[in-house]
Structures are given as C-alpha cells and as structure tokens.
Amino acid sequence: MLILIATPIGNLGDLSPRAQEALQQCDLLLCEDTRHTGQLLHLAGIKAKEKRSLHKFNEAEREEEVIQLLHAGKAVGLVSDAGTPGIADPGARLVARCHAEGIKVSIIPGPCAFVAAYALSGYTDEAFQFLGFLPKTRNERSKLFDKMREYSGASIVYESPYRIKETLTEVDPQWEVVMVRELTKIHEQVVRASAGELLQQLADKEVKGECVLIFSPSKKEKPSLEELVQQVHHVRESFSCSVKEAIEAVAKARGVSQKDLYRLIIRG
Ligand code: SAM
C-alpha cells in the first residue's frame, strides 16, 4: 500500500514513533527532495531502504512505475519536505490514482502548518477554509480576497514572508488577521490584529521565516462614514489618482457600495 507520512515543520521532536517506523520499514520512500529527507533521516538515525524523488515536476511520469510497484505488493512511503504530503505539496495525484486502481492508501498523520496555525488563532468558529498559497499576481490575489469576503468563516493561506507587507496593503485595514510565523521553531510567533495594525507593527521590520496568514473579514467593525471619506482622500493623495478611482478602490477594499460612497464624497 501507499503510506503518506507527515514529517516535522521545524521541530524534529515532532517526528512520531509511527512515522519513524514507517520511514525505516517501507520498501521505497518517495521524497519531494531526496537530499532534504536524507538529512531528516540522518538526524533521526533512520536508514531508509530506498529513496526516489517525487516532486511536482516528475509526479506524472513517476506515477506509472510507482503504481507497478504497488501492484507488485511493495510498501511505498511518501513524504514531502515538511508537514503533510498532499497539502500544498505533491502527492494528491498519486493518491487519486491509487483510489482508481483499488490500491490501499493510508496515512501517518502529524504536523500540518495550517492546522497548527488555526488551532493557535483562538477562533471559535467550527468552519474555516484553507486556500493554499496566495497567488503571486495582484489580480489573482484580489479575486481570492473577494472569495474571502463572501465567506463567513476565517480563510487560511500560506504566504511568502517577503510579500506579507504588500499583501496586507491589499485588504481592508479593518479585517482581522492572524499571522503565525515559524511554528514549532525558536522564533515561533502569533500576532492577532487588524490588517492595518499588523502592517504598522511590521513597517520597519524585515519579515523572515515561514508564515501562515488567517484572514477574518467578518470580524471587522463597520467603518464609519468619516473614516471612509478620510481613506478616499488618503488613497487619492498617495497614488495621485482621481477621486473616482480612489472611491472605486476604497469601496472594493472596504466592501461598501461605490454609489453610496460617491454620493457621500461628492455631496460632502
Ligand atoms: N505540506 C505542508 C503542511 O502540511 O503544512 C505545507 C508545505 S508548503 C510547500 C510550505 C508552506 O507552509 C510555507 O511556505 C509556509 O507558508 C507553511 N509552513 C510550513 N512550515 C511552517 C512553519 N514552521 N511555520 C509557519 N508556516 C509554515
């Protein structure tokens, strides 16, 4: 059978005894990066029988040979560089193929960054959505923020530390955000604040390490009219754009009617 094996997202101590046993015993270990997993095995004192790579660039071509081995009765383990395979990592395609072929798939569960981050957020809503990595282009991110706005619970994403500040400028400053950084590592950090406050806190800092962001548009307070007018003027001055463009941008970001905002500004 195919066994998905979760591995630590920072702290080696999170490698479970069951994971260690499976890493040692499976006939073949598929790794996102054999050198990276080789280091983990070395630190944990584990000798794997055989390692082969399975990453997003060879997932399709490797599939056939792995399926043959599984049909021949081999126990195949699958790990990614960190956390749970198949979660923003390769693996899902092979799992789906195994289901189609009637091959048993099992999992040794363990660390997963978005699950740990949500548990640390303190949110009591039972429902939340995980949206994977935030897209790289501003346009795609904007579409995703619209999706978050329409959703009643929290939305969790993985984001590069280098883009966090830019990302925070693209959402309503009043949205509540939880930034979870460096989970299970020495500099683990959880900050729960409005997007505007978080941006201020990070203004003169270089954000480093691995990050999860949790956005809660529904937890924001309704903006006052005065605040909206001020923001339009601020956007107009900062970006040297027309009043109309500033109104469009603010209405979209704050989730208010463009028409109402226009009326408010023009009539004074
Ligand atoms: N499969 C992994 C999991 O189960 O969470 C996710 C792999 S994905 C390629 C890597 C992203 O997960 C990072 O860019 C970061 O957003 C998040 N991540 C991984 N480890 C983390 C950690 N220790 N602290 C915070 N975020 C982490």
Side-chain angles (χ1 to χ4, degrees), residues 9 80 82-84 87-89 111-114 133 158-159 180-185 210-212:
I9 52 172
S80 62
T84 302
I87 304 296
D89 265 341
C112 179
F114 86 81
F133 273 102
Y158 289 158
E159 173 64 316
V180 183
R181 229 171 41 80
E182 294 289 83
L183 277 158
T184 78
K185 304 181 200 175
E210 296 189 283
C211 290
V212 181

Side-chain angles (χ1 to χ4, degrees), residues 31-220:
C31 315
E32 186 179 5
D33 178 340
T34 50
R35 274 174 308 177
H36 188 100
T37 302
Q39 267 182 327
L40 171 76
L41 297 174
H42 175 71
L43 290 170
I46 295 169
K47 247 188 167 334
K49 289 187 189 151
E50 190 190 344
K51 297 197 291 296
R52 282 186 213 169
S53 70
L54 183 128
H55 44 69
K56 62 179 176 188
F57 302 109
N58 73 355
E59 205 176 358
E61 81 191 52
R62 187 118 284 180
E63 196 173 294
E64 235 28 79
E65 92 193 50
V66 175
I67 292 293
Q68 297 302 322
L69 289 168
L70 286 161
H71 275 310
K74 300 283 182 201
V76 178
L78 171 67
V79 292
S80 62
D81 283 352
T84 302
I87 304 296
D89 265 341
R93 191 191 152 112
L94 182 60
V95 172
R97 177 73 190 276
C98 286
H99 292 319
E101 297 268 343
I103 295 167
K104 188 172 176 204
V105 185
S106 187
I107 186 163
I108 298 179
C112 179
F114 86 81
V115 174
Y118 191 71
L120 278 178
S121 71
Y123 287 146
T124 51
D125 313 83
E126 277 186 21
F128 55 87
Q129 59 177 354
F130 171 59
L131 299 169
F133 273 102
L134 263 188
K136 290 200 175 103
T137 69
R138 195 176 256 260
N139 192 25
E140 282 176 284
R141 281 202 298 273
S142 166
K143 283 187 197 146
L144 209 70
F145 293 138
D146 287 342
K147 198 169 158 183
M148 292 182 190
R149 200 178 288 113
E150 285 156 18
Y151 183 68
S152 61
S155 299
I156 312 175
V157 293
Y158 289 158
E159 173 64 316
S160 153
Y162 309 111
R163 234 183 4 233
I164 279 187
K165 290 194 226 174
E166 190 188 338
T167 296
L168 290 172
T169 63
E170 293 167 13
V171 300
D172 181 337
Q174 286 197 324
W175 279 17
E176 193 170 283
V177 181
V178 183
M179 179 183 77
V180 183
R181 229 171 41 80
E182 294 289 83
L183 277 158
T184 78
K185 304 181 200 175
I186 295 171
H187 298 292
E188 182 176 280
Q189 185 191 25
V190 185
V191 185
R192 184 169 158 174
S194 70
E197 279 164 14
L198 181 57
L199 194 57
Q200 267 180 2
Q201 283 184 35
L202 300 176
D204 56 352
K205 296 191 179 74
E206 190 190 345
V207 186
K208 287 186 188 154
E210 296 189 283
C211 290
V212 181
L213 290 178
I214 307 178
F215 293 96
S216 286
S218 62
K219 291 197 169 31
K220 68 170 186 180

Side-chain angles (χ1 to χ4, degrees), residues 172 174 220-229 231 250 253-256:
D172 181 337
Q174 286 197 324
K220 68 170 186 180
E221 285 169 18
K222 266 198 172 293
S224 68
L225 298 178
E226 204 176 76
E227 213 180 299
L228 289 170
V229 173
Q231 197 182 353
V250 172
R254 304 301 293 264
V256 295

